[in-house]
Amino acid sequence: MNSTGSETDGSRGAFAVDSTVPSAVPRGFDDFRRGWQTQVGDVFPLPTFSPATIADFRIKGRVTRVRDVVIADLHGASATRIADPSGGDQDLVQIHVLRRGAWTLGRPHDRGEHTVSAGQFLLRHFERHYPFDMAPHTTAQFLFLPSATLRPLLGNRIITGSADSAEVRLLTAHTNMVHATMGDLGPAGVHAAHSTLIELAKAVALRRFDDVEPQLAPALTRAAKDLANSHLADPELSSTMLARELNVSVRTLQRAFATVGESVTAYIRHRRLEEARLALTAPSGRWSISELAAHWHFTDSSHFIRAFKKHYGQTPTEYARSTGSAAR
């Protein structure tokens, strides 16, 4: 386990844990509990886990606190279950985003039981503690948020939907940036990160976000880049496709990219060139120049060679030879 200490005013904290390796299992739960209590426990106290969970606590992930918001990205190799909390008081809004596996809230056969499956999210206000189960090999993000701002939007509703909705994509992009940068942020940065988290949580509740809000431009840009990275080999990848998936206009997307001094088209081209560069030296087999050009959707080999040389200062063949490979 490793951790980042909180500020003197206690407004942030972070830790990472990996008890999935055999040598870490015996102390896995203790490490996780210590990190949680030290860094985030006063925002959301750790619930009581079942004895079976404690004995076989194989989990990998990272947890970050931003003032009164906690973000936990976790992959559980083992099953996780909390003991029946008997309805203790609680006043938090929670968002659960499942990427793999399943997470079940409530007792079996309880009318209030809800299961969130891979590719789905659940958002609700919790007034009391509930038991929950997380299936083995579940990957999920959990957000614990203050209720004062969000509860009026929710009431007693339980909001569920696709984890690939535009709002959740932006929220995920922002939380990834928070995890990566929290240790380097000053007070103003912590304030901005927290404010954006609250606004994006509202967006998930409302199923829409303010696409002209400058504060959300970094999250929109990051979400578009993440989406582009997963579709680099798709011939339909373009500003239009990304804007459609993120439910914004092309102009809004271009404006968000402009804040980081880059265009959408340039980002896609540079990422495709990077993948082509890696393929040139891949040990699994060589690609010809024409194959690379076609696979990464350059107009032809000449266009690919010119773009590659402009970006890397060498032609693909020169680059391959310089690294001990040979492109045909």
Side-chain angles (χ1 to χ4, degrees):
M1 185 189 75
N2 57 73
S3 62
T4 300
S6 302
E7 291 183 49
T8 54
D9 63 358
S11 67
R12 64 176 174 178
F15 72 96
V17 64
D18 184 0
S19 59
T20 60
V21 294
S23 61
V25 173
R27 65 177 189 277
F29 183 76
D30 289 338
D31 285 347
F32 182 78
R33 179 173 56 187
R34 183 167 56 253
W36 190 281
Q37 291 176 341
T38 301
Q39 301 296 344
V40 304
D42 55 340
V43 174
F44 177 68
L46 201 64
T48 301
F49 291 88
S50 70
T53 296
I54 294 172
D56 184 28
F57 194 78
R58 288 174 289 125
I59 199 164
K60 180 178 182 179
R62 54 188 179 177
V63 179
T64 299
R65 171 188 175 179
V66 190
R67 294 188 173 178
D68 54 3
V69 176
V70 176
I71 310 162
D73 285 80
L74 302 173
H75 171 75
S78 57
T80 303
R81 177 178 297 172
I82 69 165
D84 191 332
S86 301
D89 290 340
Q90 181 176 269
D91 185 21
L92 282 174
V93 168
Q94 297 183 25
I95 302 176
H96 306 269
V97 183
L98 270 289
R99 299 298 178 186
R100 180 183 178 187
W103 178 88
T104 301
L105 170 71
R107 302 170 185 85
H109 312 301
D110 189 335
R111 291 182 61 187
E113 182 183 82
H114 292 275
T115 296
V116 190
S117 301
Q120 300 292 309
F121 78 88
L122 178 146
L123 164 63
R124 69 170 291 180
H125 173 250
F126 289 83
E127 294 181 306
R128 61 190 178 92
H129 293 280
Y130 285 85
F132 71 80
D133 289 272
M134 194 166 73
H137 308 295
T138 291
T139 301
Q141 180 177 87
F142 304 95
L143 286 97
F144 307 94
L145 303 122
S147 65
T149 304
L150 297 166
R151 186 177 181 183
L153 299 177
L154 295 173
N156 295 320
R157 292 183 302 148
I158 298 175
I159 298 175
T160 60
S162 170
D164 289 332
S165 69
E167 298 79 29
V168 176
R169 286 186 187 275
L170 262 68
L171 178 62
T172 300
H174 181 63
T175 57
N176 287 340
M177 290 190 292
V178 170
H179 280 308
T181 62
M182 181 52 60
D184 300 322
L185 296 180
V190 172
H191 173 78
H194 177 270
S195 178
T196 303
L197 281 167
I198 298 299
E199 288 305 308
L200 288 171
K202 289 181 182 178
V204 174
L206 296 170
R207 298 184 184 274
R208 66 178 186 275
F209 61 92
D210 184 355
D211 62 2
V212 298
E213 169 55 58
Q215 180 180 345
L216 302 186
L220 177 56
T221 303
R222 185 66 264 168
K225 288 181 176 181
D226 292 342
L227 190 56
N229 289 342
S230 65
H231 288 80
L232 287 175
D234 187 341
E236 301 300 318
L237 178 60
S238 64
S239 300
T240 301
M241 189 203 88
L242 295 174
R244 182 177 64 250
E245 291 293 321
L246 295 170
N247 200 26
V248 296
S249 68
V250 172
R251 181 177 178 82
T252 295
L253 185 62
Q254 291 171 335
R255 187 164 54 240
F257 268 75
T259 64
V260 295
E262 191 172 25
S263 72
V264 182
T265 301
Y267 179 79
I268 294 171
R269 182 174 63 252
H270 291 165
R271 282 293 293 113
R272 283 174 166 170
L273 284 170
E274 174 65 10
E275 292 299 319
R277 182 186 68 81
L278 294 173
L280 282 169
T281 56
S284 58
R286 294 184 313 214
W287 292 62
S288 69
I289 300 301
S290 60
E291 287 171 340
L292 286 171
H295 184 75
W296 297 113
H297 307 294
F298 289 87
T299 305
D300 53 37
S301 297
S302 297
H303 180 214
F304 169 62
I305 293 169
R306 288 196 300 272
F308 193 97
K309 185 173 183 178
K310 182 177 181 180
H311 194 64
Y312 293 109
Q314 294 177 299
T315 66
T317 301
E318 290 168 343
Y319 176 82
R321 286 174 178 165
S322 71
T323 58
S325 302
R328 303 188 304 276

